[in-house]
């Protein structure tokens, strides 16, 4: 049973949203024969816990971990909720040894046991396709168009890349978050490029997961400029 996350893009102090989420969890536990609850550390979705079933929290890069590694400030509200969720876990799981070490240290939980379970790869989906030819000029970026994922640094490098390789083009696939100004993040990033290079950047947005293998295989280069990541 998968329940919706809290408001996307907000790490917030919404106690009401958490109370509603926990009420829905208790309803599902009672009526759907649930015997285990899993949640993530990111955002800290739990407030009180006490659902009558064990809670597993999966560490995949809480904001207080990411922001501290990149030298950025994170709101105290976000830190409170994320650490609270971690502390009420009956068992902890991390997606990488790096995230396990950093999260336990920064949350003051080095005394807790945490299992390491890597993110899985669907080998039936992500496999070579000899009928999908490679595009020699295509640079592929898959991920959120954000500072955390390194998008501004990639765009800073693009003029030099485009000058050195006249046939190079960037294809971006992933979420284009809306900035506080109400504009998509891509608008400012494209505006940062010299005008003659903007037509060589394609903003695709999010696509179905099953279409990603073909995108990766067609690209000459896949770029991952993240400042910090869970790997």
């Amino acid at each position: 049973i998968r329940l919706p996350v809290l408001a996307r893009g907000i790490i917030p102090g919404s106690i009401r949203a958490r109370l509603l989420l926990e009420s829905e969890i208790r309803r599902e536990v009672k009526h759907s024969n649930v015997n285990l609850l899993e949640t993530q550390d990111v955002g800290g979705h739990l407030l009180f816990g006490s659902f009558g079933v064990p809670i597993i929290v999966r560490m995949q890069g809480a904001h207080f971990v990411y922001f501290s590694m990149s030298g950025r400030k994170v709101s105290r509200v976000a830190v409170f909720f994320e650490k609270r969720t971690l502390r009420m876990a009956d068992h902890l799981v991390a997606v990488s040894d790096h995230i396990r070490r950093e999260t336990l240290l920064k949350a003051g939980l080095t005394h807790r046991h945490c299992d390491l379970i890597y993110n899985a790869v669907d080998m039936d989906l992500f496999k070579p396709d000899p009928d999908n030819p490679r595009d020699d000029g295509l640079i592929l970026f898959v991920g959120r168009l954000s500072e955390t994922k390194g998008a501004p640094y990639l765009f800073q490098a693009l003029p030099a890349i485009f000058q050195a390789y006249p046939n190079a083009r960037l294809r971006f696939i992933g979420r284009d978050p809306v900035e506080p100004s109400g504009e998509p993040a891509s608008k400012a990033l494209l505006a940062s490029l010299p005008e003659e290079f903007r037509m060589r950047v394609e903003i695709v947005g999010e696509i179905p997961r099953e279409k990603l293998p073909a995108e990766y295989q067609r690209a000459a280069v896949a770029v991952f400029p993240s400042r910090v990541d869970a790997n």
Side-chain angles (χ1 to χ4, degrees):
I1 300 169
R2 174 170 283 184
L3 298 179
V5 298
L6 301 181
R8 195 172 191 178
I10 301 176
I11 308 180
S14 174
I15 292 178
R16 181 176 180 273
R18 287 172 171 80
L19 289 173
L20 290 172
L21 179 63
E22 292 198 344
S23 176
E24 182 64 23
I25 292 171
R26 291 188 181 91
R27 187 178 301 113
E28 292 292 350
V29 169
K30 181 177 179 180
H31 297 292
S32 302
N33 195 31
V34 173
N35 54 27
L36 184 68
L37 171 68
E38 183 193 60
T39 187
Q40 61 184 17
D41 55 352
V42 184
H45 293 164
L46 301 184
L47 185 60
F48 294 116
S50 302
F51 303 112
V53 296
I55 299 171
I56 293 178
V57 175
R58 185 178 69 259
M59 300 174 182
Q60 56 186 38
H63 290 87
F64 74 87
V65 176
Y66 273 170
F67 282 32
S68 66
M69 287 192 293
S70 60
R72 298 164 59 195
K73 291 184 178 180
V74 59
S75 81
R76 293 181 179 179
V77 173
V79 174
F80 171 80
F81 280 122
E82 289 181 338
K83 290 185 177 181
R84 183 178 180 87
T85 294
L86 285 164
R87 286 169 181 157
M88 69 176 63
D90 295 291
H91 197 79
L92 297 170
V93 172
V95 299
S96 72
D97 187 54
H98 167 67
I99 284 297
R100 175 169 59 183
R101 292 195 315 269
E102 291 294 328
T103 305
L104 293 177
L105 178 63
K106 290 177 171 60
L109 296 174
T110 53
H111 61 286
R112 292 285 304 272
H113 174 74
C114 176
D115 282 314
L116 177 60
I117 303 178
Y118 295 109
N119 288 325
V121 176
D122 185 347
M123 299 300 291
D124 291 328
L125 179 62
F126 288 87
K127 61 183 179 181
D129 180 1
D131 296 325
N132 189 7
R134 178 164 295 176
D135 183 336
D136 289 337
L138 182 61
I139 303 168
L140 180 67
F141 178 108
V142 177
R144 189 172 63 256
L145 202 60
S146 66
E147 194 272 345
T148 303
K149 293 297 182 182
Y153 311 107
L154 174 59
F155 274 77
Q156 288 171 18
L158 284 179
I161 295 170
F162 287 162
Q163 287 176 346
Y165 300 93
N167 68 331
R169 300 161 347 267
L170 174 67
R171 181 173 170 85
F172 160 71
I173 295 174
R175 186 156 65 90
D176 188 357
V178 176
E179 299 292 338
S181 64
E183 300 287 352
S186 58
K187 183 174 181 179
L189 290 171
L190 286 170
S192 70
L193 289 176
E195 190 171 355
E196 67 267 25
F197 295 142
R198 294 173 192 170
M199 294 299 294
R200 293 165 67 176
V201 177
E202 182 182 10
I203 308 294
V204 177
E206 295 179 286
I207 66 172
R209 181 170 174 270
E210 58 269 18
K211 293 186 177 181
L212 284 176
E215 295 284 349
Y216 278 117
Q217 183 155 330
R218 189 162 63 91
V221 175
V223 60
F224 305 94
S226 298
R227 291 188 64 182
V228 292
D229 223 319
N231 297 327

